Amino acid sequence: MKALTFHGKQIIKYESVPDPKIEHPKDVIVKVLLAAICGSDLHIYHERETGLDYGTVMGHEFVGEIVEIGSEAKSFQIGDIVSCPFTTNCGECFFCRIGLTARCTKGQLFGWVEDGRGLHGGQAEYVRIPLADLTLLRLPKVVSLEEGLLLGDIFSTGYFCAEMADIHPNGTYAIVGCGPVGLLAIFGARDFGAEKIYAIDSVPERLTLAEKFGAVPLNYQNENPIEIIHKFTDGRGADAVLEVVGNKNAGRLAFDLVRPGGIISTVGVHTEKEMAFSPVEAYNKNITYKIGRCPARFYMEKLLPIVQSKKYDLAAIISHRLPLAEGVRGYEIFDKKLENCIKVVLEP
Ligand SMILES: NC(=O)c1ccc[n+]([C@@H]2O[C@H](COP(=O)([O-])OP(=O)(O)OC[C@H]3O[C@@H](n4cnc5c(N)ncnc54)[C@H](O)[C@@H]3O)[C@@H](O)[C@H]2O)c1
Ligand SMILES: [Zn+2]
Ligand SMILES: [Zn+2]
């Protein structure tokens, strides 16, 4: 089959790789119908995260059709359309039972093979899904492939970020970063009743969409979000800041924006060695800092009714739809934010 594979810093290849096979009786094979490129793929692409074997099939965001079923996988039939969280889940361990599926003791991340061990990803024609019964979610017909794709990671992640921020209707909230995840976090914040949401980035078309989604856009290159948000809150700062970038500048901005006693909710993947603020700075502001990988499988089920309700136009963030064969260009467009790119989806 054809797939997008990793071969070092900024080197993605579209090449032939062996078809995935059932390796364990609980596996299924999914024919990928749509895949996406995520901000997390860019950490690998730029080798901010290292360890991935060369030749690993990239990607952890995909939806598809079941084409082969292991003898102990009982929940699905050939032809079912399924969405997949970005990690596998056993559904039985302590963490799966408390809804922290991101920390499943048998969890594996799609698109991460290190020292020959791990899982290939979904930017390919086919992908092997271990522990399929409790990992995959069958999509009802009313849910589009695009919605199913966004449910598997970034809508779930944006919503999770909003939930950690303990949002109340009268509060003032700031979202740092209006990439695909930050934009969908606006919908999450609105769903918890937030009325005053500032959305911060420097990319005009992302800010335009943030405004359309219901936030007040702030371009940190032209205006000072710290001054503006403090002015609006009688000098206090935001009740919570949702940090959806994953670099030190954004981490620092989140700290400077949050009010004493407030919450910083971070889903950005931080690859630096140090925090953006010191323990004593955190102490002096009495902040709560929440961070981590989204328990996507748990949120997919929880958010399915919201997706089915069509309350939010999730797919509005998809700016590019390319054949998988043009995925190498897709990475470049997404990384460099060319052609007003917000989110790239790939069709095998
Ligand atoms: N926790 C999880 O489970 C999870 C899941 C998905 C993605 N992520 C992470 O979320 C982050 C965002 O993902 P994405 O797909 O939206 O990526 P993206 O790279 O498209 O978006 C990041 C956005 O942040 C903006 N930005 C950069 N520096 C900024 C700053 N100092 N202040 C404000 N904005 C700034 C960029 O212009 C861009 O629009 C990434 O770190 C990704 O790895 C985490
Ligand atoms: Zn992702
Ligand atoms: Zn588990």
Side-chain angles (χ1 to χ4, degrees):
M1 67 166 184
K2 292 288 191 188
L4 295 175
T5 55
F6 176 73
H7 289 274
K9 194 170 181 176
Q10 285 166 271
I11 308 172
I12 302 290
K13 289 185 187 166
Y14 176 69
E15 63 177 350
S16 295
V17 298
D19 285 355
K21 292 193 298 270
I22 301 273
E23 292 177 18
H24 182 278
K26 291 185 176 173
D27 292 352
V28 308
I29 304 293
V30 163
K31 178 182 181 201
V32 177
L33 298 175
L34 274 186
I37 305 176
C38 178
S40 299
D41 295 324
L42 297 182
H43 297 308
I44 297 168
Y45 185 65
H46 287 289
E47 291 195 328
R48 292 190 291 263
E49 274 189 305
T50 54
L52 204 68
D53 290 355
Y54 288 4
T56 299
V57 176
M58 293 289 292
H60 56 268
E61 298 183 8
F62 56 91
V63 281
E65 180 185 342
I66 298 202
V67 291
E68 211 183 322
I69 300 178
S71 59
E72 285 175 29
K74 303 287 181 205
S75 301
F76 298 99
Q77 294 182 328
I78 302 286
D80 280 350
I81 302 296
V82 289
S83 176
C84 189
F86 57 94
T87 56
T88 60
N89 301 271
C90 77
E92 290 164 355
C93 72
F94 172 85
F95 299 105
C96 282
R97 279 188 279 117
I98 65 165
L100 191 58
T101 52
R103 297 295 156 207
C104 172
T105 54
K106 290 183 184 160
Q108 286 182 284
L109 178 63
F110 286 95
W112 193 279
V113 179
E114 186 167 353
D115 298 330
R117 291 170 48 168
L119 266 188
H120 286 291
Q123 289 166 8
E125 289 179 286
Y126 296 93
V127 56
R128 179 178 74 90
I129 318 290
L131 303 170
D133 282 348
L134 289 139
T135 295
L136 295 173
L137 185 73
R138 186 184 295 105
L139 289 179
K141 284 210 165 59
V142 297
V143 174
S144 68
L145 288 180
E146 290 79 1
E147 288 167 335
L149 181 70
L150 300 174
L151 187 62
D153 180 352
I154 68 169
F155 182 45
S156 290
T157 301
Y159 193 97
F160 166 63
C161 188
E163 184 149 53
M164 289 197 296
D166 197 11
I167 286 169
H168 299 283
N170 297 328
T172 299
Y173 302 97
I175 298 185
V176 178
C178 298
V181 185
L183 287 166
L184 296 187
I186 298 174
F187 289 145
R190 277 180 46 197
D191 217 69
F192 288 104
E195 285 168 10
K196 200 74 191 174
I197 308 166
Y198 290 96
I200 303 164
D201 205 298
S202 63
V203 182
E205 56 276 8
R206 295 182 176 210
L207 289 166
T208 303
L209 206 50
E211 187 170 21
K212 208 171 146 203
F213 285 4
V216 178
L218 293 177
N219 187 329
Y220 68 85
Q221 275 178 346
N222 311 331
E223 46 200 349
N224 185 336
I226 303 170
E227 269 172 26
I228 293 170
I229 292 174
H230 277 79
K231 196 166 158 205
F232 179 77
T233 53
D234 293 329
R236 289 191 302 273
D239 295 297
V241 182
L242 286 64
E243 189 267 296
V244 200
V245 181
N247 68 36
K248 215 167 173 181
N249 288 343
R252 184 69 215 186
L253 180 57
F255 180 79
D256 290 336
L257 287 171
V258 74
R259 70 161 165 81
I263 297 171
I264 298 176
S265 168
T266 299
V267 292
V269 176
H270 286 261
T271 53
E272 313 89 4
K273 290 217 160 39
E274 283 126 32
M275 295 282 289
F277 49 86
S278 71
V280 74
E281 284 180 299
Y283 175 91
N284 285 339
K285 251 183 146 175
N286 286 56
I287 63 149
T288 300
Y289 187 68
K290 302 190 194 176
I291 184 167
R293 176 183 282 173
C294 172
R297 182 60 178 79
F298 173 79
Y299 277 90
M300 286 166 74
E301 210 159 315
K302 174 169 164 150
L303 300 183
L304 191 59
I306 298 181
V307 174
Q308 281 176 291
S309 76
K310 309 279 172 184
K311 207 161 144 191
Y312 305 113
D313 185 7
L314 306 181
I317 63 163
I318 297 172
S319 56
H320 286 69
R321 203 179 169 107
L322 302 172
L324 183 68
E326 286 175 38
V328 174
R329 191 167 70 89
Y331 267 85
E332 198 188 348
I333 293 171
F334 181 57
D335 176 42
K336 298 194 174 132
K337 304 181 181 71
L338 306 176
E339 304 170 11
N340 295 341
C341 180
I342 295 177
K343 183 80 174 171
V344 178
V345 300
L346 303 166
E347 282 176 290

